[in-house]
Amino acid sequence: MDVNAAVAAAAAIAGLCTGVIAMLAFRWSERDQARPTRSSLRSDAHAPLPPGVDTVLSVLRSSAVVLDESDSVVKASSAAYALGLVRGGKLAVEPMLHMARDTRRDGEIRQVELDLPRRGTGRGEALAVSARVAPLGSRLVLLLVEDLTEARRIEAVRRDFVANVSHELKTPVGALSLLSEAVMDASDDPEAVTRFAGRMQVEATRLTNLVQELIDLSRVQNDDPLQDAEPVRVDELVAEAIDRSRHAASTKQITMAAGGAADLHIWGNRGQLAAALGNLVENAVNYSPARTRVGIAARRVAAPGGDLIEIAVTDQGIGISEKDRERIFERFYRVDPARSRATGGTGLGLAIVKHVVASHGGEVTVWSSEGQGSTFTLRLPEAGAVRDRPAGGSGGRGHSRAGDDHRPAGAAMTAGITSTAATTTTTDPNTEIPAPEVLP
C-alpha cells in the first residue's frame, strides 16, 4: 500500500514538472518570436512602400523609381532599367539624384527636361526625357521619367514640313508676282506679253499641283481608305496610270509597256491606289532619258497571311544613289532639285505613295542603280473573294509581306514587253524576258 502511494506521488510530481516545463517553453517561444531580428531590422530600415503604391507604379507608362533616405532604390520599373536610369541599385543620373535630395529636404515637387546619352550606341545620340520628383510619405522620394524622344522627333518633322511648305509656296507665288510686273512693263510689246503670260501659266500650274498634292497627302494621312474599300482591277489602275503620263512619254519618245495585270484585283480605295501608281509611272517618265522604256507589270505572290498583288514600275533613268534611297519617301525631298523644277515636281509624290500603301496594309520597296534605272514595287493585299467567286462578294484583306528588294523581282515582269511608244500590250507574266535595253 505504501509502495502504491509512493508510485502515485512520483507520477503526480513528474506530471507537474512536465506541465511547468511546457508552459515555460511556450512563454519562451512567444518572447523569442516577438524579439526583432537582424533581418527584420534591415527590412524596416528600407521603409517599405505605402499600401497600393506598388500597384499604381506597375500601371504607369512613365519610368518610375522610388528612393529611400540613403538614395538606395527601393522600387524601379522595368522601363527605368531599360533607359539606364538604375544601375547597381542606385540612381545613375546625377542631375536626377540631386533633384531627389533637394525634394527630400524641402518637400517641393521639381521637374526638369534632360538630354541623356543613349546606352550602347556610340553615335552620341541624345535621349530626351522629362523628370519629375515628388515626396512619397515622410522618407521616400518618387521619380517619374517620361521619354520625349519620339515627341521631339515628330515636332521637328512638323516644323520642317511647315518650313518646306512655306518655301515651296513662296517660289511660284514670287514668280507670279514678278511676271505680272513684267507684263505690266511690257504692255506695248505683244510678244513679250505672250511670253510672260506663258511663264505665268507654268507657275500657276505648279502652284495648283502643289496645293492639290498637299490636300492629297493630308487626306491619305488622316482618312481610313478601307471605309470605302472595294475590289479594284489592277489592269484598270495600270491603264489609268499610263494614260496620265502618255503625253509626257510621247514628247520624249519613251515606250510605255504593261504586262501581267489581267484578272488581278486589289482590295482598297480606287482613287488613292490610282494616285499612288500614277505617281510612280509619272516619276519613271520624268526621270528617264529620251527614247528609253518604262515597264509596268503585276503578278500574284503567295504570302502567309494571304496572297499579295505585286506591281512593279521599272525605268531606265538616272537611278538613285544609296544615300538618297534612304530619304526619297520623305516629304519634299528631291534627288535632283533642278530636274524637279524642270518637270514641275513638288517632292510629295513618293510620300503620298508611301502613305497610301501603308494605309492599305502593304509596302513599297525600291531597287536602283545609278546609270541603270530603278524599280519601284508595290505589294498590296489581294481581293481574294473576287478571285474565288466571279459573281461579286466581299473581298478579304491580306497582310503586307516584307521581301528582299532585288532587281529580278521587278525586271523579270517588266523587261522586254513589246509595245509601241506610249502604247501597251500584255504578255504572260511568267515568261522569262531579257532585260530592257535603250531603244536606238
Side-chain angles (χ1 to χ4, degrees), residues 172 175-176 179 198-210:
L176 287 172
L179 288 169
R199 287 291 304 155
M200 291 178 70
Q201 287 184 335
V202 171
E203 294 298 334
T205 301
R206 179 182 176 186
L207 181 60
T208 301
N209 293 339
L210 175 59

Side-chain angles (χ1 to χ4, degrees), residues 167-168 171-172 199 202-203 205-207 209-210 213 252 282-283 285-288 318 320 324 328 330-350:
H167 174 74
E168 295 295 334
T171 302
R199 287 291 304 155
V202 171
E203 294 298 334
T205 301
R206 179 182 176 186
L207 181 60
N209 293 339
L210 175 59
E213 291 202 349
K252 300 172 68 174
E282 186 177 13
N283 280 354
V285 172
N286 289 338
Y287 287 89
S288 293
I318 60 176
I320 307 170
D324 288 325
I328 55 174
E330 295 179 9
R331 293 170 291 190
F332 296 111
Y333 185 79
R334 297 179 175 90
V335 175
D336 187 350
R339 183 183 291 265
S340 295
R341 285 192 295 269
T343 59
T346 62
L348 292 174
L350 290 180

